[in-house]
Amino acid sequence: MNLTQRLQGAGLATLLALVLSVSGVANQPVQAAEISTPEIAESALSSSCLDYRVIGICVWITCTAVGCYTETSIKVTHYVPELVVSAYQEVGKNPWRGARGIVSTASELDLVSDAIGSATNSLFEGVSGEVADDVPRGGGTSTERHSNNHQTVRFKNADAVGHPALAAFDNLRGFMCRSGATPLVPYYVSEADSTAWRANIPEMSYPQALVPGVRELGQAGDVWGNVFPRSGFVTQTNDYKAGALAAQRVADFVTKPGQPHVYLPMRPPRGAGYWPPKPIREGEASTHRWQPLAPQREDSCAVWPDRGPMATYRDRRDGSGDYVWALWRPITCCERRGARLLYHTGGKGWVE
């Protein structure tokens, strides 16, 4: 039995059970892309996504009036599920049911949706010249009607909320690294960021948005789209890729301070013996990995694209256009055992 399995058996599974019991959300079967808080918390038991490794030691020194002494602690590196990122069609219908109350109250959704519907329709008209009849209020798809143009403009609402299992990880200090995120805290709600998420202001003027081929999510022969401008409008025929690109855009600015969006930046704690991840960069596993949660939950994590250029992702596509992922971030740390870190071995894990 490896260390990850022992952690799961001895502590993590028990703590996650507590999270499930106090979440206040019934663990009932879900339909389409919907998912519950207990199911999301349970998904954090993935040993593949955790990728737990002991890589070295830290030596600490403490000096008092009578002399100095040293103590050691193990250095570990692993991924932590920091955020649950949803990309979905209709305002107020986040497929993570437990997040709907966190994101906004029902009255706020009603007030926002009318204004959003008008803004969305005007933007679709500016792109395609005509709004598709089946575009839902506040989100949806508009297909070019010219016979020689088969592009599809899609719009996704997006939310990023602290992963509900973070409390379990934080209670295993000494074995697990703490996260810079807080469980069930809304770090981003696209409804509250209409200027940037819906009107592309000021991101449409960024060099990354104006120069083709810069900051693209994809691979040779399979470009999912540009990360910039970081808005909800995506030109993509594959709905799963469109949702994934919207989620990647949110993660890109949520992990950075001072971005032109209405959001709460994640601020990793600083201190000796703690090496937080760098801001997210598309395609770089040293900064993040994604775990599909809905419409189909998987126990593995990867950066996108995670399949070959010809993959259709048919098994991951949802007819309602709603998707949920867990964002895992790599952290390296060792338990503090003294006043000052004297030296450490084993490098900085994934952070390097």
Side-chain angles (χ1 to χ4, degrees):
M1 179 180 293
N2 61 34
L3 184 56
T4 300
Q5 292 171 324
R6 290 180 182 177
L7 286 169
Q8 290 177 326
L12 185 57
T14 301
L15 286 164
L16 282 174
L18 292 175
V19 172
L20 303 184
S21 66
V22 302
S23 64
V25 181
N27 192 4
Q28 300 174 346
V30 298
Q31 298 178 353
E34 288 195 344
I35 190 168
S36 68
T37 302
E39 289 173 310
I40 292 176
E42 184 183 7
S43 70
L45 287 170
S46 168
S47 59
S48 173
C49 292
L50 184 66
D51 198 8
Y52 189 95
R53 288 176 286 167
V54 177
I55 61 172
I57 62 168
C58 291
V59 179
W60 303 86
I61 186 170
T62 302
C63 293
T64 66
V66 296
C68 298
Y69 63 92
T70 61
E71 289 191 68
T72 61
S73 58
I74 62 170
K75 182 194 288 184
V76 302
T77 186
H78 62 86
Y79 284 79
V80 176
E82 292 198 318
L83 292 178
V84 177
V85 183
S86 307
Y88 54 100
Q89 295 289 92
E90 294 191 49
V91 172
K93 294 188 177 180
N94 188 317
W96 174 14
R97 295 173 308 201
R100 292 175 187 174
I102 298 172
V103 167
S104 182
T105 64
S107 60
E108 289 172 335
L109 290 174
D110 289 339
L111 289 173
V112 170
S113 59
D114 289 334
I116 285 175
S118 299
T120 302
N121 288 344
S122 64
L123 284 171
F124 269 126
E125 288 175 349
V127 173
S128 63
E130 185 176 357
V131 179
D133 294 334
D134 59 349
V135 174
R137 184 177 69 172
T141 305
S142 177
T143 304
E144 298 277 9
R145 283 177 163 75
H146 302 292
S147 60
N148 61 344
N149 192 332
H150 302 287
Q151 290 183 327
T152 300
V153 178
R154 301 174 187 271
F155 178 82
K156 297 292 182 182
N157 299 284
D159 302 326
V161 179
H163 200 290
L166 281 174
F169 281 78
D170 289 343
N171 279 286
L172 285 172
R173 292 187 182 180
F175 295 97
M176 295 285 186
C177 301
R178 66 191 185 279
S179 167
T182 303
L184 303 179
V185 167
Y187 285 88
Y188 182 71
V189 178
S190 61
E191 300 164 44
D193 187 36
S194 59
T195 300
W197 193 250
R198 296 179 178 277
N200 290 335
I201 299 173
E203 295 218 356
M204 66 172 63
S205 61
Y206 279 21
Q208 301 96 315
L210 298 174
V211 181
V214 175
R215 296 296 307 274
E216 285 184 337
L217 178 64
Q219 59 187 325
D222 181 28
V223 176
W224 293 21
N226 290 32
V227 175
F228 283 79
R230 294 170 298 184
S231 73
F233 286 93
V234 179
T235 301
Q236 174 60 251
T237 57
N238 187 304
D239 191 67
Y240 174 78
K241 295 178 181 180
L245 181 57
Q248 187 76 42
R249 290 173 172 178
V250 170
D252 186 86
F253 62 76
V254 166
T255 56
K256 300 181 179 76
Q259 302 301 294
H261 289 265
V262 178
Y263 73 110
L264 179 65
M266 289 199 301
R267 301 183 184 276
R270 300 291 176 178
Y274 184 86
W275 295 270
K278 298 176 182 178
I280 281 179
R281 183 83 175 192
E282 61 278 4
E284 294 185 1
S286 62
T287 63
H288 73 291
R289 286 177 178 174
W290 294 99
Q291 178 189 18
L293 297 181
Q296 178 176 306
R297 197 183 94 187
E298 299 180 15
D299 291 327
S300 60
C301 294
V303 295
W304 293 321
D306 57 335
R307 295 179 180 177
M310 302 303 294
T312 63
Y313 295 88
R314 181 182 299 273
D315 57 316
R316 291 183 182 173
R317 280 187 281 172
D318 178 66
S320 61
D322 300 340
Y323 306 94
V324 185
W325 298 271
L327 177 66
W328 292 68
R329 302 258 285 151
I331 303 175
T332 300
C333 69
C334 51
E335 185 180 15
R336 193 177 190 98
R337 293 284 182 82
R340 186 166 62 90
L341 180 61
L342 190 60
Y343 68 90
H344 59 94
T345 66
K348 299 178 183 177
W350 277 104
V351 179
E352 291 183 311

